[in-house]
Amino acid sequence: MRRGWKMALSGGLRCCRRVLSWVPVLVIVLVVLWSYYAYVFELCLVTVLSPAEKVMYLIFYHAIFVFFTWTYWKSIFTLPQQPSQKFHLSYTDKERYENEERPEVQKQMLVDMAKKLPVYTRTGSGAVRFCDRCHLIKPDRCHHCSVCAMCVLKMDHHCPWVNNCIGFSNYKFFLQFLAYSVLYCLYIATTVFSYFIKYWRGELPSVRSKFHVLFLLFVACMFFVSLVILFGYHCWLVSRNKTTLEAFCTPVFTSGPEKNGFNLGFIKNIQQVFGDNKKFWLIPIGSSPGDGHSFPMRSMNESQNPLLANEEPWEDNEDDNRDYPEGTSSLAVETET
């Protein structure tokens, strides 16, 4: 009876957590819907007097708005990609591993299993990266997210503002969302500013639209500042071919820690996220190369380009076989937990 109550309580808490996890998304949606109303109706249709100016403002606004909402939708509803079945322990291997009480033997068992897989990263102690929740050997750049309760390929962070884990399958969409968000806020701020000045000087009548226009400029500027910092940070990560987790915790390879282990050079680093075909770079369509299980590494490219070998290695890393608390970074390491 007591066990039943505990299970019911646990299920209720999980349900509440799932519902509450949509609150940040709901806040963003409400702000966007209000901004649409304030810009289209209160600014363009009520405040702006020139018909040509109305049309021009509305055309450019809706073009940006479509891509902004499209990329936000893709960031939210593109499911994180999980490791394929070959990285999971078989039923026999799982039983052998769980029944073995000696840690050193368990470690050797994982080493033997990993020899059959394209796995080159290790924990800080040099052990094979193993997830004891999902019962799988983690592919390179894969981490376990306790919010999503699964291992995510090329995990970057868990973002509450999209209520989703950002990783291999949707990192491109997340970057595009940040870019179009910055553009959206910048466009609103620049087109609203002249009318803000007119209201401030009393050149326009003090009607209801005044408060929408003034507040619209304030909100656009506030979001622009925070978003441009976050977008700039992720642009830097892309230029170095790093995830947020790898920026905070240096990946360890079989040869040791290497902060630039996946750095292939600026252009190739961008192509690792957006693909080779530049016509898809601005459109939220999946174009990232590979399957998310293995990635080209710096060491494999040094023979082709000796200049890549010039940078010095970084300091040691801590054990990678762990979870990261949500909200590790204020810059959106909302994070692998």
Side-chain angles (χ1 to χ4, degrees), residues 85-186:
Q85 195 60 39
K86 71 177 182 178
F87 288 86
H88 291 257
L89 299 189
S90 66
Y91 179 78
T92 304
D93 290 336
K94 180 182 173 183
E95 278 205 329
R96 283 177 53 219
Y97 181 82
E98 290 179 345
N99 292 332
E100 179 57 59
E101 298 179 354
R102 294 167 295 177
E104 65 277 3
V105 177
Q106 287 183 322
K107 183 177 179 180
Q108 186 57 45
M109 289 170 62
L110 293 177
V111 169
D112 295 337
M113 296 174 198
K115 289 178 180 177
K116 307 171 187 177
L117 302 169
V119 176
Y120 302 100
T121 53
R122 297 291 186 263
T123 66
S125 62
V128 173
R129 299 169 64 243
F130 177 72
C131 180
D132 55 4
R133 295 175 180 83
C134 301
H135 302 289
L136 58 81
I137 294 174
K138 295 179 183 178
D140 293 343
R141 315 184 85 174
C142 173
H143 300 274
H144 185 89
C145 177
S146 63
V147 179
C148 298
M150 63 182 178
C151 284
V152 178
L153 294 179
K154 197 187 177 184
M155 180 175 174
D156 187 86
H157 66 282
H158 186 92
C159 180
W161 300 108
V162 299
N163 191 28
N164 201 2
C165 212
I166 306 301
F168 176 77
S169 63
N170 59 359
Y171 186 59
K172 174 189 174 182
F173 307 144
F174 179 73
L175 281 174
Q176 290 173 325
F177 164 62
L178 292 180
Y180 287 118
S181 297
V182 169
L183 184 60
Y184 182 73
C185 293
L186 181 62

Side-chain angles (χ1 to χ4, degrees), residues 65 73 77 110 214 253 297 301:
F65 184 79
W73 176 274
F77 294 107
L110 293 177
L214 298 181
F253 296 83
M297 294 181 294
N301 289 270

Side-chain angles (χ1 to χ4, degrees), residues 17-29 72 75-77 80 145 147-148 155-167 170 174 177-178 223 230 234 244 324-337:
R17 183 177 179 179
R18 283 196 295 269
V19 172
L20 291 174
S21 66
W22 286 101
V23 170
V25 176
L26 180 61
V27 170
I28 295 297
V29 170
Y72 190 45
S75 299
I76 294 173
F77 294 107
C145 177
V147 179
C148 298
M155 180 175 174
D156 187 86
H157 66 282
H158 186 92
C159 180
W161 300 108
V162 299
N163 191 28
N164 201 2
C165 212
I166 306 301
N170 59 359
F174 179 73
F177 164 62
L178 292 180
F223 275 94
L230 179 57
H234 277 279
T244 302
Y324 294 78
E326 186 173 0
T328 297
S329 168
S330 59
L331 292 178
V333 189
E334 299 107 12
T335 179
E336 183 202 8
T337 54

Side-chain angles (χ1 to χ4, degrees), residues 1-14:
M1 185 69 175
R2 184 179 298 175
R3 185 178 179 183
W5 277 106
K6 287 183 178 179
M7 291 180 64
L9 180 61
S10 177
L13 289 174
R14 283 197 299 270

